[in-house]
């Protein structure tokens, strides 16, 4: 009997343990379901609407990013005036890292104009308002924030110099490179006497090849003087290079080289970029004409900058006018003019921008500096061409009265 009672008690204990385990599992399942529902609600709520704290934190981060890019860009500016839009596109966006994204709408500024106004109020920059947007005309280098960013920029440059990494290649500046090639056409007598025996039978040759052929002719015929500084002139050389009335019997080597250049007609060709096509048909007679930049006056004391000779260098006057207008915030136009019975167009810009235009032609278009001349003469600017149209009301009335 005692053994039976013990067995019954053991069975009751086992049944009670199984019931407790079942209750515990049920409670765990209920908790898991509740937590899953809470997570779904949280996701939906976050997707639908952010809390005010999250929005403020996000705006603060975006403001900090925009201001950091602004100060890093403004420290690197050297030439003014500068349009605010150009500051954003050419200087701020180029400093954005791969994991960063600039969105003005998610900041307190909302747009670039408000950022520029804020920096003007903080006396960081001086701004001039135009119809096409704000233009930065001054930078306060003594501002404490700018001084801090200048120190950061200097430290970054020093760190870049100390590193032993391979130097990066400089990026090629936008624009193109122009090269002027000059060849010469020798006179008939000079070609027959000096150049043909050396195999120079082409129509156009270089000045170096012509000089080498001349010096070899002098040595072969023993025309060099005893002091080796001059050349004795024989009959064939006199007939090939000198006038009939010139009776000089000897010339210095320098004078003979100048006489050789006078007996050869120059031809030039302007090569753009990596163009290696040296076809003779592309060469034009004469030397390359320079681009002339002069200052003109209009309506009293108003000065304008006039640029002529652009077409020879494959520079479109309207394109140059647009670049100068955007970069220096001035009015520009193009005017026709005639030269040697040919029609060309000149670019006219408001203000004295001679050095600025030359820099643009050399950097952006690749025109060699020796072919861009700045004239010291002041000329009258051409009058603006009037548009032909309906005219005034009185003019139209007179025309209507005269019409049958």
């Amino acid at each position: 009997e005692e053994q039976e009672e013990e067995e019954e008690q053991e069975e009751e204990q086992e049944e009670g343990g199984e019931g407790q385990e079942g209750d515990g599992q049920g409670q765990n399942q209920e908790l898991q379901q509740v937590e899953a529902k809470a997570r779904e609600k949280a996701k939906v709520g976050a997707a639908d609407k952010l809390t005010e704290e999250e929005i403020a934190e996000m705006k603060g981060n975006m403001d900090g990013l925009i201001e950091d890019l602004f100060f890093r860009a403004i420290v690197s500016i050297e030439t003014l005036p500068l349009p605010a839009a150009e500051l954003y596109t050419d200087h701020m966006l180029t400093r954005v890292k791969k994991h960063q994204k600039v969105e003005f709408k998610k900041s307190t500024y909302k747009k670039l104009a408000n950022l520029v106004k804020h920096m003007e109020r903080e006396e960081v920059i001086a701004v001039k308002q135009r119809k096409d947007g704000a233009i930065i005309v001054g930078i306060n280098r003594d501002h404490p924030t700018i001084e801090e960013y200048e120190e950061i920029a200097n430290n970054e440059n020093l760190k870049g110099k100390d590193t032993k990494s391979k130097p990066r290649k400089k990026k090629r500046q936008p624009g193109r490179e122009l090269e002027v090639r000059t060849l010469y056409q020798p006179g008939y007598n000079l070609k027959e006497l000096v150049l043909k025996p050396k195999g120079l039978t082409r129509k156009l040759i270089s000045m170096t090849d012509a000089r080498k052929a001349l010096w070899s002719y002098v040595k072969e015929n023993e025309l060099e003087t005893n002091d080796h500084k001059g050349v004795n002139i024989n009959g064939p050389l006199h007939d090939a290079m000198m006038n009939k009335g010139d009776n000089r019997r000897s010339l210095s080597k320098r004078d003979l080289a100048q006489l050789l250049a006078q007996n050869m007609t120059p031809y030039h060709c302007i090569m753009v970029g990596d163009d290696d096509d040296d076809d003779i048909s592309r060469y034009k007679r004469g030397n390359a004409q320079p681009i002339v930049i002069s200052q003109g006056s209009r309506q009293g004391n108003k000065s304008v900058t006039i640029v002529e000779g652009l077409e020879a260098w494959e520079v479109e006057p309207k394109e140059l006018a647009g670049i100068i207008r955007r970069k220096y915030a001035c009015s520009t136009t193009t005017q026709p003019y005639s030269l040697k019975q040919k029609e060309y167009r000149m670019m006219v810009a408001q203000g004295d921008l001679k050095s600025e235009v030359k820099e643009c032609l050399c950097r952006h278009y690749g025109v060699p500096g020796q072919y861009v001349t700045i004239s010291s003469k002041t000329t009258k600017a051409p009058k603006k061409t009037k548009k032909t149209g309906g005219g005034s009301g009185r003019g139209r009335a007179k025309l209507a009265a005269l019409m049958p």
Side-chain angles (χ1 to χ4, degrees):
E1 290 177 359
E2 291 176 358
Q3 288 177 357
E4 289 176 358
E5 290 177 359
E6 289 176 0
E7 289 176 359
E8 290 177 356
Q9 289 176 0
E10 289 176 359
E11 289 177 358
E12 289 176 357
Q13 289 176 359
E14 289 176 357
E15 290 176 358
E18 290 177 356
Q20 290 176 358
E21 289 178 359
D23 295 339
Q25 290 177 357
Q27 291 176 357
N28 290 334
Q29 290 178 356
E30 290 178 357
L31 287 172
Q32 289 176 0
Q33 292 176 357
V34 171
E35 288 176 357
K37 290 180 180 179
R39 287 196 201 97
E40 290 177 359
K41 288 181 180 179
K43 287 180 182 178
V44 173
D48 292 342
K49 190 176 181 181
L50 295 172
T51 61
E52 294 180 357
E53 294 177 356
E54 289 173 344
I55 293 171
E57 184 180 357
M58 188 172 62
K59 285 186 177 180
N61 295 337
M62 189 56 65
D63 288 354
L65 172 62
I66 291 172
E67 291 172 1
D68 178 68
L69 294 173
F70 175 84
F71 281 107
R72 286 182 183 274
I74 209 72
V75 164
S76 65
I77 300 301
E78 295 180 356
T79 57
L80 292 174
L82 179 71
E86 190 173 335
L87 171 72
Y88 176 67
T89 55
D90 296 350
H91 300 277
M92 290 177 64
L93 291 182
T94 54
R95 288 172 168 78
V96 178
K97 297 178 181 179
K98 290 182 179 180
H99 64 277
Q100 294 176 338
K101 189 176 181 181
V102 179
E103 295 181 359
F104 267 94
K105 291 182 179 179
K106 292 184 179 179
S107 68
T108 56
Y109 297 113
K110 299 298 182 185
K111 56 183 180 179
L112 178 64
N114 294 334
L115 173 66
V116 174
K117 289 179 182 178
H118 172 73
M119 294 300 172
E120 185 183 13
R121 286 195 299 269
E122 295 293 328
E123 297 182 353
V124 177
I125 55 175
V127 179
K128 193 172 183 180
Q129 296 294 336
R130 298 272 188 180
K131 290 182 179 180
D132 54 350
I135 296 172
I136 300 170
V137 295
I139 300 173
N140 184 10
R141 301 288 179 181
D142 298 329
H143 195 276
T145 309
I146 289 183
E147 289 179 351
E148 290 177 4
Y149 273 87
E150 284 180 347
E151 291 180 3
I152 292 170
N154 293 331
N155 293 332
E156 288 178 352
N157 291 335
L158 291 173
K159 286 180 181 179
K161 290 178 183 178
D162 293 339
T163 54
K164 296 182 180 180
S165 60
K166 294 181 181 179
R168 295 181 180 178
K169 293 183 179 179
K170 291 183 179 180
K171 292 183 179 179
R172 187 177 174 183
Q173 292 184 350
R176 58 181 182 171
E177 295 178 0
L178 295 180
E179 180 187 357
V180 182
R181 296 183 185 178
T182 306
L183 296 178
Y184 298 86
Q185 182 182 10
Y188 178 77
N189 294 332
L190 179 64
K191 186 175 182 179
E192 293 293 328
L193 177 67
V194 178
L195 304 178
K196 260 192 177 181
K198 299 301 177 183
L200 299 175
T201 58
R202 300 189 304 272
K203 180 183 177 181
L204 301 178
I205 61 173
S206 65
M207 183 61 73
T208 305
D209 294 339
R211 286 177 180 173
K212 286 180 180 178
L214 178 61
W215 301 137
S216 64
Y217 174 83
V218 170
K219 287 182 179 179
E220 288 173 0
N221 293 273
E222 297 180 355
L223 298 176
E224 198 171 7
T225 58
N226 295 329
D227 58 357
H228 303 288
K229 292 183 180 179
V231 177
N232 295 317
I233 306 298
N234 60 8
L237 191 60
H238 181 278
D239 295 339
M241 299 183 63
M242 300 174 69
N243 297 325
K244 292 181 179 180
D246 194 346
N247 297 321
R248 289 178 291 177
R249 296 298 179 184
S250 64
L251 291 173
S252 65
K253 290 184 177 180
R254 184 177 179 181
D255 292 341
L256 187 62
Q258 292 178 355
L259 194 62
L260 174 66
Q262 292 175 7
N263 282 273
M264 300 180 73
T265 306
Y267 284 75
H268 75 278
C269 178
I270 299 172
M271 303 289 185
V272 182
D274 300 329
D275 186 7
D276 293 330
D277 187 6
D278 204 7
D279 188 8
I280 294 176
S281 62
R282 298 179 60 184
Y283 283 79
K284 297 178 181 179
R285 188 183 179 114
N287 292 313
Q289 296 299 317
I291 297 174
V292 180
I293 304 174
S294 59
Q295 185 175 354
S297 61
R298 177 184 287 171
Q299 294 180 359
N301 296 327
K302 290 184 179 180
S303 63
V304 294
T305 303
I306 303 170
V307 187
E308 298 175 338
L310 296 171
E311 288 89 345
W313 295 88
E314 298 184 7
V315 177
E316 185 64 32
K318 288 184 179 180
E319 183 182 354
L320 177 63
I323 293 172
I324 297 299
R325 181 173 62 252
R326 290 190 298 271
K327 192 169 184 179
Y328 299 104
C330 62
S331 63
T332 57
T333 184
T334 59
Q335 297 290 335
Y337 73 99
S338 59
L339 181 65
K340 295 181 180 179
Q341 297 181 352
K342 290 185 179 180
E343 292 294 328
Y344 301 98
R345 295 194 74 84
M346 67 176 71
M347 194 276 289
V348 182
Q350 183 183 7
D352 186 4
L353 299 172
K354 294 190 292 292
S355 58
E356 289 83 353
V357 173
K358 181 176 180 179
E359 183 181 1
C360 180
L361 288 170
C362 295
R363 285 193 176 186
H364 187 81
Y365 289 98
V367 181
Q370 65 267 27
Y371 290 100
V372 182
T373 59
I374 296 177
S375 177
S376 58
K377 295 181 180 180
T378 303
T379 58
K380 285 187 177 182
K383 294 182 179 180
K384 293 183 179 179
T385 55
K386 295 182 179 180
K387 296 181 180 179
T388 58
S392 62
R394 292 181 180 179
R396 288 196 298 271
K398 289 179 180 179
L399 288 171
L402 295 171
M403 290 290 287

